[in-house]
Amino acid sequence: MELRPTLSIDRLIAELSALAQISAAEPPVVTRIVFSEADLRARAYVKGLCKETGLEVKEDAVGNTFARWQGSEPGLAPVATGSHIDAIPNAGLYDGCVGVLGGLEAIRVLQQLGFKPRRSIELVIFTAEEPTRFGIGCLGSRMMAGVLSPTRALTLIDKEDRGLEELRSNAGFRGSLESVILAPGRFHQFVELHIEQGPLLEQEGIDVGLVTHIAAPASMRILIEGEGGHAGGKLMPGRKDALVAAAVLVLALEAAAKSTGAVDTVGTVGVCEVFPGAVNSIPSCVRLETDIRDIDAARRDAVIDKLKTACEEVAEGRGVSISTEMVNADPPAACDPAILDAMEQAAKAAGKSYKRMVSRAYHDSLFMARIAPVAMLFIPCRGGVSHRPDEYASPEWIGGGVHVLARTLAMLAS
Ligand code: HGY
Ligand code: MN
Ligand code: MN
């Protein structure tokens, strides 16, 4: 089908900007933690746009949101696109939101062109792609794929000791958590548009990335308990300083990640909580949250093993007690060749340059891949910067991604 989508990129940029104003932080900083007041206002805003577009909007028991454009053969499993609108603290306005509002714009373009989908097209807004609240990423899509069981989900608590049950019901989401699990075949195919969150497309001057694999993320919590004490009265010999022990582990993770010799191995300690946190008190307890990834799961797991060994050695050497907890250690996902080919055809028809590449960030597509064929479509982001307020994707880059997405959806839904 020959499509010449006419995009209203100005409207899309205005909507992205309007969404970015809905933040727990002062704009241009975006902070939107799942089930927070800002998250609920953002959901209402996006659902309003979906309803204006004539989509049928439904939500599941944890707030995953499905906006459907009914196809001519409703008995066929729909094609879906979408991403997330929650954002970590001190984030930008494009991560996730480009895939949600860009997916909506792709649907509007096809509607304006008079395209009639045979398969329904659904825009999905996933709950809690970011790990900020509960320490685990992709909460909504994990539950949809049955990777995170309702029983385990009910054990999740945030830093204020509030659990999923309390937070989801306060946010107005009801129903059994079992009902979130999707039967295989619920979706025919899933395509996610997202900023690259890396520098390659911009550096190489390429319009879109066709993602072939999504890296394998893992997260491990480390609790270090020492003795604490008076910073003046307690002399250096015999101290059991939990923060110094933690510092050794932070360096050990960096060394382990670098030791694989593969550029794809990354290790980060993004959270370090120090107790009691008084300048004149020796830290008695430190909680670290570590993020370890690679496109090769075995290589990633070797880094985790090295970090665990370092924990044992530091505990022994410094007389502190160290416990570890694996939050998640997910396999990588391979994207679907047929969808990749469709995206390649769409890029050619749209006159956009493209390259096949891996995703080093994880996305809801990682879990959607458990229940449907998936692929991701990347657009450049300036300097590869993401998870910072200066994250930026130009209207031209965004427009190119939406154009290719619209053509891809038209092919898949025909
Ligand atoms: O951390 C990630 O890869 C994603 O941006 N949540
Ligand atoms: Mn993110
Ligand atoms: Mn994202």
Side-chain angles (χ1 to χ4, degrees):
M1 168 168 220
E2 182 45 37
L3 289 173
R4 294 212 172 284
T6 49
L7 265 144
S8 169
I9 191 63
D10 294 342
R11 172 178 57 186
L12 174 52
I13 298 302
E15 288 166 351
L16 282 166
S17 305
L19 182 53
Q21 300 302 311
I22 306 175
S23 167
E26 266 310 295
V29 176
V30 180
T31 297
R32 211 163 32 231
I33 311 303
V34 67
F35 300 138
S36 66
E37 184 270 339
D39 176 42
L40 301 186
R41 273 194 299 126
R43 288 167 179 268
Y45 172 67
V46 175
K47 284 187 290 185
L49 295 177
C50 291
K51 287 172 184 161
E52 285 167 22
T53 308
L55 306 184
E56 181 197 351
V57 179
K58 286 185 180 160
E59 293 165 322
D60 72 9
V62 292
N64 291 307
T65 303
F66 309 86
R68 173 181 281 224
W69 176 17
Q70 193 61 51
S72 59
E73 296 186 36
L76 294 177
V79 168
T81 188
S83 193
H84 62 98
I85 58 172
D86 64 314
I88 68 168
N90 200 49
L93 69 90
Y94 301 91
D95 175 4
C97 300
V98 160
V100 171
L101 295 179
L104 179 62
E105 180 60 23
I107 288 171
R108 291 187 296 215
V109 163
L110 294 176
Q111 287 177 339
Q112 283 152 22
L113 284 160
F115 174 73
K116 298 281 180 243
R118 192 164 70 92
R119 289 180 181 277
S120 299
I121 297 178
E122 282 193 25
L123 179 68
V124 184
I125 304 152
F126 297 95
T127 274
E129 191 271 351
E130 298 293 2
T132 312
R133 169 83 68 186
F134 296 115
I136 187 167
C138 299
L139 174 77
S141 51
R142 279 179 196 272
M143 294 186 72
M144 287 160 76
V147 171
L148 178 68
S149 69
T151 311
R152 169 98 196 279
L154 288 171
T155 66
L156 299 177
I157 53 168
D158 69 6
K159 291 188 173 54
E160 283 77 46
D161 282 340
R162 286 174 302 183
L164 174 63
E165 200 54 27
E166 175 193 345
L167 288 161
R168 77 176 181 115
S169 44
N170 289 350
F173 301 118
R174 309 257 182 279
S176 77
L177 295 184
E178 281 74 15
S179 65
V180 175
I181 302 171
L182 297 184
R186 163 70 171 82
F187 289 114
H188 179 59
Q189 292 161 313
F190 176 74
V191 185
E192 181 171 4
L193 173 65
H194 205 286
I195 54 171
E196 177 192 344
Q197 297 178 305
L200 302 181
L201 292 175
E202 182 190 35
Q203 279 172 357
E204 298 172 29
I206 293 177
D207 298 320
V208 292
L210 314 183
V211 175
T212 58
H213 294 84
I214 303 167
S219 178
M220 183 167 87
R221 286 193 182 118
I222 303 176
L223 185 65
I224 302 129
E225 294 170 287
E227 269 181 6
H230 193 289
K234 176 78 178 167
L235 302 181
M236 294 309 281
R239 278 192 177 193
K240 294 181 179 178
D241 185 326
L243 185 53
V244 176
V248 177
L249 294 178
V250 172
L251 290 171
L253 174 54
E254 182 189 52
K258 287 180 173 176
S259 71
T260 71
V263 73
D264 298 317
T265 318
V266 289
T268 312
V269 177
V271 174
C272 175
E273 290 170 351
V274 180
F275 182 82
V279 67
N280 57 349
S281 174
I282 302 166
S284 55
C285 182
V286 171
R287 205 172 68 82
L288 300 179
E289 288 188 23
T290 68
D291 178 308
I292 305 159
R293 313 186 193 194
D294 196 316
I295 58 173
D296 177 312
R299 225 171 24 212
R300 177 206 61 198
D301 292 347
V303 171
I304 294 170
D305 291 344
K306 280 190 176 175
L307 183 56
K308 286 179 177 171
T309 304
C311 288
E312 290 161 11
E313 289 165 358
V314 168
E316 174 76 26
R318 291 179 170 273
V320 295
S321 87
I322 299 179
S323 56
T324 61
E325 176 204 355
M326 282 313 299
V327 177
N328 64 286
D330 304 297
C335 292
D336 178 68
I339 306 176
L340 283 161
D341 290 346
M343 291 199 302
E344 187 166 331
Q345 275 181 52
K348 284 177 185 163
K352 299 297 173 188
S353 56
Y354 61 89
K355 71 175 282 183
R356 294 190 180 217
M357 60 194 296
V358 302
S359 171
R360 302 187 189 288
Y362 62 74
H363 304 279
D364 292 304
S365 294
L366 183 66
F367 297 96
M368 288 298 281
R370 309 285 186 92
I371 53 174
V374 307
M376 291 191 74
L377 188 61
F378 274 175
I379 61 168
C381 55
R382 186 177 58 197
V385 165
S386 182
H387 283 189
R388 279 180 11 195
D390 55 336
E391 178 185 272
Y392 177 76
S394 71
E396 187 199 359
W397 288 340
I398 297 170
V402 173
H403 189 162
V404 175
L405 177 65
R407 288 178 180 275
T408 304
L409 292 175
M411 278 189 261
L412 301 182
S414 291

